[in-house]
Amino acid sequence: MTKQTNSKSLSQMIGIFRQSSDFKTMAIALPTQKLYISYYSTLIDESKLQHDLIWILQESARENPIASLEDLLPMIPMTQILISNRSDEIHDKLMRCHVLIQLKRDAQEGALVHIPTKFGIRPNNDTENEFSVVGPKVGFIEDIDTNIHLMRLQINIPEFVVKEVSIGSLSHTRVAMLYIDGVTNPEIVNRLEQRLRSIDLDVSYDSCQVDQLVADSSMTPFPLLLATERRDRVVFALASGQAAFICDGSPYFIIGPSTLFDFFISPEDYYLPWVLGSFFRLIRMFGVVFSLFASALYVAILTYHYEVVPHSLLGPLIYSRIHVPFLPVLEVIFLEITIEFLREAGARLPTKIGQTLGIVGGIVVGQAAVEAALTSNVLIIIVSLSALASFATPIYKMANTIRFLRFPFILLAAVWGGLGIFIGICFLFVHLTRLKSLGYPYTTPVYPLRPADFKDSFLRMPFQQVNRRPGFLRPVSKVKYSPKPVKRHKQDWN
């Protein structure tokens, strides 16, 4: 309980509040006096208000008259009670599910009691976009307290620290920053907290919006911080020495510092034997490379480099394009944009309709385009495989980046052929090596080279070999656990 000084007239502020139809002010009749309570009916649970506050006050006041606001403290069985005469603080609390209690209607001081509601919060917290066959399905919802509760169930140690920051001059959105004291480098914590507190924004809609304001650079299509809706991924990141934050009203945690490899790692890799986890991770990375360069190579080969096509394949390739009137680059761009239309339409429609549209639309449009001689059968296969390979990326933001980068490579291949693709790759590597995530290199462990961190990058090595946290994070505690050899006993078979 704290008491603070007045900044402006509370009665004037309440007069402004009354312009809203959901702002209620009512008098509670007690045996010897009246109390006045004010609240937003859309922000609190009025049944809890009646049973947990009004009824208790009426019963308690029969034996103990209320002479001051301090007399309310032993009566109300709640811990979140604040007595204040600062109108700006009262304004902030009323907007955050509090009830204001005044002894007189024109009193400039009041007691604030927290009575929240869970209206509008979905009960289902299964993961939707980061689905995995093996492993837990626990995700987050749009309530920040529920999300922190889920995290504390998994990390139940006192060193698990949650710091709250308020951003948004209009929304005053709660932002919770999470890290493990004694594991996470204090430099990461201080840098992230400083960037969150320095945000000048009117309304914060989602964690992914704050992600762009916190990131080191906005002049890149690559996501510099990892957004996830999976609890196990956040727990793994915190245990590795990273930090995370989430905004109230968002089901996504933002994790940083992140590297390029983090976006191609699936939690499922750790629930399978390390051989299978490594194999599927390599398949995923190969799919990204294929999706990025397949269409560009088709344009380059058909425009400039026919000599690299084997003779046995040259005949079918020429036959498939003999009636196509367009240049290879126009043919590819037409089909790539058509695929993007189908993908966007399927994502914006309801689930069942979107799936039907994607399947039927792809078959109908592809068959019609071939019969109308607008494109070739070979290109239909290449673009379809590229679209499938792009879905292998576990993180949606990185999948969008791969989809976008295909178009610059297609244009470079149309202008300079294979040399254009090589120039594009050089620019891409230079751009990636210049990126940073919360001040840490984005391409670690490749550049700067850290051989010790390769155990969990391209491959997922056995748990006995990945018992140390990533060195580039410079964690306070470097060792996750101390693996011990398994004792195997020989059994006598009779």
Side-chain angles (χ1 to χ4, degrees):
M1 187 274 294
T2 60
K3 186 182 292 185
Q4 299 171 346
T5 59
N6 190 19
S7 59
K8 75 173 187 178
S9 172
L10 178 59
S11 58
Q12 293 179 359
M13 186 184 67
I14 292 180
I16 297 174
F17 288 163
R18 286 175 178 163
Q19 296 177 3
S20 298
S21 58
D22 61 336
F23 184 77
K24 310 294 184 182
T25 300
M26 58 188 299
I28 305 175
L30 302 180
T32 59
Q33 63 187 121
K34 287 185 177 181
L35 290 181
Y36 298 90
I37 65 172
S38 303
Y39 60 93
Y40 279 94
S41 60
T42 52
L43 292 179
I44 70 167
D45 190 339
E46 293 189 284
S47 63
K48 289 184 179 181
L49 172 66
Q50 181 68 34
H51 293 89
D52 298 346
L53 182 63
I54 296 178
W55 185 83
I56 291 176
L57 287 176
Q58 290 175 336
E59 291 295 320
S60 301
R62 295 179 187 276
E63 301 177 357
N64 303 309
I66 302 173
S68 64
L69 292 174
E70 283 76 7
D71 296 336
L72 296 172
L73 300 180
M75 296 181 180
I76 304 174
M78 300 180 184
T79 57
Q80 299 186 32
I81 303 175
L82 173 71
I83 297 177
S84 175
N85 56 8
R86 281 184 51 186
S87 58
D88 56 346
E89 185 173 35
I90 294 174
H91 169 273
D92 181 68
K93 294 298 182 182
L94 284 174
M95 294 294 183
R96 295 184 182 277
C97 309
H98 283 67
V99 173
L100 174 66
I101 304 176
Q102 296 171 284
L103 296 181
K104 298 181 180 180
R105 188 181 294 273
D106 57 349
Q108 297 301 310
E109 186 179 44
L112 295 154
V113 183
H114 187 234
I115 305 179
T117 181
K118 295 298 182 181
F119 296 152
I121 297 175
R122 58 187 172 97
N124 182 13
N125 67 330
D126 293 341
T127 56
E128 296 180 358
N129 298 321
E130 295 179 68
F131 181 80
S132 64
V133 179
V134 183
K137 310 295 188 296
V138 179
F140 300 108
I141 63 173
E142 288 79 5
D143 180 58
I144 191 172
D145 294 321
T146 303
N147 295 334
I148 296 175
H149 165 75
L150 292 173
M151 290 298 301
R152 285 204 177 277
L153 289 177
Q154 192 78 20
I155 308 178
N156 49 6
I157 57 174
E159 289 80 11
F160 177 47
V161 180
V162 178
K163 286 187 177 181
E164 282 201 12
V165 179
S166 178
I167 63 174
S169 58
L170 297 179
S171 61
H172 296 284
T173 304
R174 294 169 59 197
V175 180
M177 183 178 66
L178 285 62
Y179 65 95
I180 299 178
D181 188 26
V183 173
T184 307
N185 188 345
E187 180 184 8
I188 297 175
V189 177
N190 295 335
R191 184 172 297 164
L192 180 58
E193 184 177 4
Q194 180 184 7
R195 294 187 183 183
L196 288 173
R197 293 187 183 278
S198 63
I199 292 176
D200 185 10
L201 193 67
D202 53 356
V203 178
S204 174
Y205 300 99
D206 189 79
S207 298
C208 296
Q209 179 192 24
V210 180
D211 169 12
Q212 301 177 52
L213 300 173
V214 172
D216 294 60
S217 174
S218 60
M219 303 300 293
T220 176
F222 287 91
L224 301 181
L225 298 173
L226 191 147
T228 181
E229 62 174 351
R230 295 182 61 104
R231 182 178 67 170
D232 53 350
R233 188 186 282 272
V234 181
V235 172
F236 178 80
L238 296 181
S240 299
Q242 296 169 289
F245 69 87
I246 190 171
C247 295
D248 193 15
S250 173
Y252 282 90
F253 265 91
I254 306 299
I255 300 172
S258 301
T259 67
L260 181 64
F261 292 97
D262 290 340
F263 295 90
F264 304 107
I265 294 176
S266 171
E268 203 171 20
D269 297 345
Y270 301 96
Y271 304 137
L272 297 173
W274 73 272
V275 176
L276 297 179
S278 300
F279 173 74
F280 291 131
R281 187 178 295 183
L282 289 175
I283 289 292
R284 211 174 293 128
M285 294 181 180
F286 172 77
V288 170
V289 174
F290 179 85
S291 176
L292 190 59
F293 297 111
S295 299
L297 285 173
Y298 175 86
V299 173
I301 290 173
L302 291 189
T303 307
Y304 296 99
H305 310 294
Y306 268 110
E307 66 278 2
V308 303
V309 181
H311 290 286
S312 58
L313 183 61
L314 191 60
L317 188 61
I318 294 175
Y319 179 77
S320 67
R321 294 202 73 254
I322 192 170
H323 298 296
V324 177
F326 304 116
L327 295 174
V329 61
L330 297 179
E331 179 189 6
V332 169
I333 290 179
F334 164 74
L335 205 54
E336 289 282 0
I337 292 178
T338 302
I339 292 294
E340 294 301 322
F341 283 158
L342 290 172
R343 191 185 335 226
E344 285 296 310
R348 301 295 176 262
L349 289 172
T351 304
K352 294 182 180 180
I353 300 177
Q355 292 176 352
T356 304
L357 175 68
I359 297 173
V360 177
I363 296 174
V364 172
V365 173
Q367 184 66 26
V370 172
E371 292 182 357
L374 298 178
T375 183
S376 64
N377 291 321
V378 176
L379 182 59
I380 289 285
I381 296 173
I382 292 175
V383 173
S384 300
L385 291 176
S386 297
L388 288 175
S390 67
F391 288 118
T393 307
I395 304 300
Y396 180 70
K397 283 189 173 183
M398 182 57 73
N400 288 340
T401 301
I402 301 302
R403 289 163 54 187
F404 165 76
L405 289 177
R406 288 209 297 261
F407 290 94
F409 276 101
I410 290 172
L411 296 178
L412 288 172
V415 177
W416 291 303
L419 177 62
I421 297 177
F422 179 76
I423 293 173
I425 293 174
C426 292
F427 273 103
L428 181 61
F429 282 165
V430 171
H431 177 71
L432 287 173
T433 55
R434 291 172 59 88
L435 294 178
K436 293 183 180 296
S437 176
L438 292 181
Y440 289 78
Y442 191 60
T443 52
T444 303
V446 175
Y447 177 83
L449 184 63
R450 292 183 175 272
D453 292 340
F454 272 97
K455 296 178 181 179
D456 195 13
S457 55
F458 293 99
L459 301 176
R460 201 279 283 179
M461 302 305 293
F463 286 114
Q464 291 81 0
Q465 300 183 24
V466 291
N467 63 319
R468 300 181 69 86
R469 296 184 172 90
F472 80 96
L473 294 173
R474 297 195 291 273
V476 178
S477 175
K478 297 182 179 180
V479 179
K480 288 183 180 180
Y481 52 88
S482 299
K484 297 180 181 179
V486 179
K487 296 181 179 180
R488 293 180 172 85
H489 301 280
K490 294 183 178 179
Q491 297 180 349
D492 295 328
W493 296 90
N494 296 326

